[in-house]
Amino acid sequence: MNRNDLRAPVGIVDYGLGNLQSVLNACERLQQPAVLIQDPADLATARAIILPGVAAFDHGMRSLHSRGFVEPLRRAALCDKKPFLGLCLGMQLLADWGSEGQGAAGLGLIPGTVERFAEGSLRVPHIGWNDIHVNPGRACPLPLRDGVDFYFVHSYYFKPQNEADVLAWTDYGIRFASIIGRDNIVGCQFHPEKSHQAGIELMATFFGSLC
Amino acid sequence: MLKKRLIPVLYLRNGLIVRSQEFHDFREFGNPINQLERLNDWNSDELIYVDITREGEHDLKRDDLKVKSQSDILDILRAISKHCFMPLTFGGRIFNVEQAAAFIANGADKVIVNTGAYRSPSLITQIADRFGSQAMVLGIDVKREAGGHRVYVNQGHEPIALSAVAWAQRAVALGAGEIFLNSIDRDGTGNGFDLEIIAAVASAVPVPVIACGGAGAFSDFQEVFEHTTASAVAAGNIFNFTENAYVRAKKELSEAGCPVRPFTRFK
């Protein structure tokens, strides 16, 4: 497999959760071949990996474990250094620990925990379009712009151990990490596949520059 | 900053898009697939589809349209989702978690459950546990009557004893992550939103509230955001029958100082 071959497929992890069709649709729009990966052994055939997900954190990790995805995903990200994009819950699962549901250990790819927004003056879930602020403290592999709106829908957020892993912040009562990144691994709290032009462009950039 | 959302609602009946007035008097005006180009052009914040087909009805009246079952609606949803890179919310005739799962698997990001949640409140918890609260939207249809507001289920046919506030609070406790509040007596009239009930429900629950029913002028949207804490406004007819309505409504909201996402055309 040649990682620079744009015709090689991107692998979308199918662990029984989430709106996979939307991610496939975005890939199709970008003329990026994509396959659903149900068998962890097939991760080897993908030039990049997308981990989507719409579910609770503990439920998501249980599904990854029961299908044997946890170690193969860690290997693909850390040893094979495959470009890796986590979306929404898929971003949160990159953390060490998530408190949602009964709590669960995550994939441990980017140090941090996943916490619930505090109830109070803010409505939870955080649903709708909100803008990002690029972290000036680190070089960013993606050409992100300040003030661009993306579509969010979540009650929990990624709390990174190191601010250096944050590519962009978003404000919702508190400042939370809306895009995280370390080496070949990127995670977006929002849904780029549902964020119109800005989201499709971000995915194009991921396919084009990181992969 | 989180933006206020402006959401077009499309009502599907026997597989066709209809306009609705006060929950009766439906007029067909479009094929959902042919509407795609316009939907893409809107580039709207979100789209809500509500299937208001009544069980059994199609066999009696519209046999020619051949849209009989939920699987046909799923075909429509799949076709729509292929072209719309915006959040899609689907509602109507959801009575168990498998039906909700089918909508989500075919391209919906959230589902609206109304009568099904009233008949079996545990459905709210089942959907929230499986897909997260953010995917579980409770639909509440409310009508202003002589004695106050009354909630109806079964497409406006069956009154219930719970108030809108009490039902919304109970549903949130069971796992609902958003409320889609629709006014039966304002539906399709263009007389403006029922600000009183929107304000009451929005201030009673900690989740976002989408207000629907009654938009007749662009200034009606602004009124909702000025007088209530609703997170989103939704409308059907004004977007379907007014030239460039979505763009103009956005522009007006923005000029009035309301935080909305700027309109951009999808390239």
Side-chain angles (χ1 to χ4, degrees):
Chain A
M1 181 210 65
N2 180 354
R3 188 172 291 171
N4 297 318
D5 181 0
L6 291 175
R7 287 159 306 175
V10 163
I12 301 168
V13 181
D14 178 1
Y15 56 120
L17 299 169
N19 188 348
L20 302 171
Q21 192 58 46
S22 307
V23 182
L24 279 171
N25 291 343
C27 292
E28 195 176 310
R29 167 108 189 177
L30 292 166
Q31 298 178 316
Q32 168 59 57
V35 290
L36 295 182
I37 295 190
Q38 278 137 1
D39 180 347
D42 293 337
L43 289 171
T45 64
R47 75 180 179 96
I49 293 163
I50 299 180
L51 182 64
V54 176
F57 191 101
D58 56 340
H59 190 169
M61 282 311 295
R62 268 201 307 279
S63 296
L64 285 179
H65 276 292
S66 71
R67 288 155 205 249
F69 266 118
V70 174
E71 278 314 308
L73 280 174
R74 285 178 49 83
R75 261 200 313 277
L78 297 175
C79 306
D80 304 341
K81 299 274 177 201
K82 293 214 184 200
F84 196 110
L85 178 63
L87 304 179
C88 199
L89 175 69
M91 174 255 211
Q92 297 179 354
L93 295 178
L94 302 174
D96 298 314
W97 175 263
S99 59
E100 192 172 6
Q102 296 166 355
L107 291 170
L109 294 174
I110 295 184
T113 55
V114 176
E115 313 282 349
R116 189 176 162 88
F117 283 117
E119 306 270 350
S121 57
L122 290 170
R123 290 177 192 273
V124 181
H126 172 224
I127 301 182
W129 296 80
N130 205 335
D131 50 309
I132 62 163
H133 309 280
V134 179
N135 183 1
R138 66 159 286 179
C140 180
L142 304 170
L144 300 172
R145 278 174 296 131
D146 270 341
V148 177
D149 289 305
F150 292 95
Y151 185 74
F152 290 83
V153 49
H154 61 123
S155 304
Y156 289 75
Y157 66 96
F158 194 114
K159 200 170 174 183
Q161 205 175 85
N162 314 304
E163 293 212 349
D165 289 329
V166 177
L167 298 183
W169 301 101
T170 291
D171 292 316
Y172 190 58
I174 55 157
R175 187 185 72 157
F176 70 91
S178 44
I179 310 179
I180 50 172
R182 175 182 273 210
D183 304 326
N184 50 309
I185 303 164
V186 175
C188 305
Q189 177 58 71
F190 49 82
H191 286 273
E193 77 282 11
K194 288 285 176 178
S195 295
H196 288 314
Q197 197 77 28
I200 296 295
E201 279 171 9
L202 189 138
M203 288 181 78
T205 307
F206 173 78
F207 295 142
S209 70
L210 272 188
C211 298
Chain B
M1 178 188 203
L2 181 65
K3 310 301 181 297
K4 297 288 188 181
R5 282 171 285 157
L6 182 62
I7 307 174
V9 183
L10 294 147
Y11 292 100
L12 285 163
R13 192 169 156 100
N14 303 320
L16 292 178
I17 295 177
V18 295
R19 70 168 291 170
S20 144
Q21 184 153 349
E22 295 167 72
F23 279 43
H24 57 82
D25 187 20
F26 303 104
R27 255 165 251 171
E28 291 150 4
F29 72 89
N31 171 309
I33 312 297
N34 296 346
Q35 300 277 330
L36 278 177
E37 203 174 322
R38 194 166 59 106
L39 298 180
N40 276 330
D41 222 33
W42 282 348
N43 219 346
S44 58
D45 293 335
E46 188 171 327
L47 283 178
I48 294 178
Y49 283 81
V50 182
D51 179 15
I52 55 171
T53 305
R54 290 183 68 77
E55 294 299 337
E57 174 188 70
H58 40 250
D59 293 327
L60 299 171
K61 290 187 186 159
R62 301 300 311 237
D63 204 33
D64 51 319
L65 290 170
K66 309 271 190 282
V67 176
K68 295 183 191 301
S69 63
Q70 202 188 33
S71 67
D72 297 312
I73 297 299
L74 294 177
D75 288 343
I76 292 169
L77 170 59
R78 228 174 8 254
I80 292 163
S81 81
K82 267 204 179 307
H83 300 273
C84 291
F85 299 97
M86 66 187 89
L88 284 176
T89 301
F90 235 82
R93 299 198 286 167
I94 296 176
F95 292 94
N96 61 57
V97 71
E98 293 312 321
Q99 288 170 331
F103 279 122
I104 288 172
N106 283 281
D109 299 287
K110 303 186 278 188
V111 290
I112 298 173
V113 187
N114 187 325
T115 308
Y118 176 72
R119 298 260 191 270
S120 164
S122 65
L123 177 59
I124 296 172
T125 311
Q126 288 168 29
I127 293 174
D129 280 352
R130 184 136 155 211
F131 299 104
S133 281
Q134 85 291 330
M136 168 59 230
V137 186
L138 178 77
I140 300 181
D141 297 330
V142 67
K143 194 192 251 179
R144 185 187 282 268
E145 295 179 342
H149 286 91
R150 189 184 287 278
V151 177
Y152 281 76
V153 296
N154 193 12
Q155 294 181 21
H157 291 272
E158 191 184 321
I160 68 170
L162 280 169
S163 72
V165 164
W167 180 212
Q169 287 176 326
R170 173 138 190 256
V172 169
L174 290 168
E178 197 168 30
I179 306 287
F180 178 59
L181 181 66
N182 205 346
S183 165
I184 297 172
D185 51 298
R186 302 289 177 108
D187 175 50
T189 63
N191 292 339
F193 288 86
D194 187 336
L195 299 174
E196 188 188 339
I197 192 68
I198 297 165
V201 173
S203 61
V205 293
V207 302
V209 172
I210 304 170
C212 187
F218 300 139
S219 55
D220 291 337
F221 298 127
Q222 170 66 14
E223 289 239 297
V224 173
F225 294 136
E226 233 168 64
H227 299 288
T228 81
T229 54
S231 301
V233 285
N237 297 344
I238 193 170
F239 294 129
N240 293 324
F241 299 108
T242 314
E243 189 74 17
N244 263 333
Y246 193 79
V247 189
R248 289 161 62 198
K250 265 281 174 76
K251 193 158 170 274
E252 195 154 310
L253 278 171
S254 173
E255 284 169 0
C258 185
V260 288
R261 182 175 148 260
F263 179 83
T264 49
R265 211 162 276 281
F266 200 82
K267 292 192 220 62

